[in-house]
Amino acid sequence: MGYTADERLAASPEEGRYLEAVFTPGAQVGTHAEDPARPVYVLEVTEVSPIRVPSGRLVVASPWPDDSDRELPTPAGRELKDRIPPGVHRVQASWTEAPYEYNGEQFDGREEVAVRLLVSDAPVACWEAALGVGESIEQIVPGERPIFDSEENMGSFADATAWPSLTEPFRRFWLDVDAGKQDASRATESLDESFERVSDEALEADLVTFPTGGGTIVWLGRTETGSIASIATVGPAFFHNELVTSRVSRAGRTRL
């Protein structure tokens, strides 16, 4: 008998189908925002960046400090309760296109709709919402999901042991802005299409950012044996209507 997710964390059948479809090129994931009769398909799944997680402890959270706190402390980060194998993993993004016209000009409506950290190539048998360190499944109300809030509409994957140093460029940027520095910039590596990377060579660890919006669920894709094959988040779609999305669950969501 294979692994069975706790029903309080398990993705619904609709959510599970969406999470599988959104990483399958050619699969339909929605309809055009301006024309519901036009289907929208996954265009491609691209390689964003390798990421080093030497401790096996993964944070999935916004790298930005809470700008409502004038001290701008290092963001707490949300470390996942489940560990992953230490080493180098791949970050991938799923893309759709929903072409549209605005003021007589044509746009491709290209957008990132999901991102995942690929732990292995093993097939995913089930999806479940991830718990963070210190969080208890007993705190979850049926029908709700644990989430992380994404400051500046940005999430990230990062090694937990290097979290303070990996998020320092974002904190330093806000401090420079608050100090009125005109040429404020952050010491990150710009990757293609709205992704950034920060590295700590002393710890041989990385942080890779991704666009997101609002409260975000982290999904664990588990194999038949219960091992983690994939860690995914689903982003907001602006140019198409999603057939079903993890955001449906956010009507009831839990900040643990």
Side-chain angles (χ1 to χ4, degrees), residues 229-250:
S230 181
I231 300 170
T233 70
V234 177
F238 297 103
F239 303 121
H240 73 272
N241 302 309
E242 298 164 355
L243 293 179
V244 64
T245 171
S246 60
R247 289 192 295 152
V248 170
S249 299
R250 294 180 196 170

Side-chain angles (χ1 to χ4, degrees), residues 1 5 9 17 20 35 42-43 57 63-64 71 76 92 98 101 105 111 119 122 151 155 170 188 199 222-223 233 238:
M1 185 174 178
L9 297 175
R17 285 193 292 269
E20 288 300 320
D35 183 0
V42 176
L43 179 68
R57 296 168 49 201
W64 290 99
E71 297 299 318
Q92 298 179 323
E101 180 182 332
E105 188 174 353
E111 60 184 338
V119 178
E151 293 285 336
F170 301 91
T188 65
S199 298
R222 293 191 183 272
T223 68
T233 70
F238 297 103

Side-chain angles (χ1 to χ4, degrees), residues 61-103:
S62 175
W64 290 99
D66 181 357
D67 60 6
S68 66
D69 186 331
R70 292 185 62 83
E71 297 299 318
L72 294 174
T74 298
R78 182 173 182 256
E79 180 182 343
L80 301 189
K81 181 174 290 187
D82 287 86
R83 304 290 179 88
I84 62 174
V88 181
H89 302 286
R90 296 152 58 197
V91 176
Q92 298 179 323
S94 172
W95 299 88
T96 60
E97 282 190 359
Y100 66 97
E101 180 182 332
Y102 181 73
N103 284 344

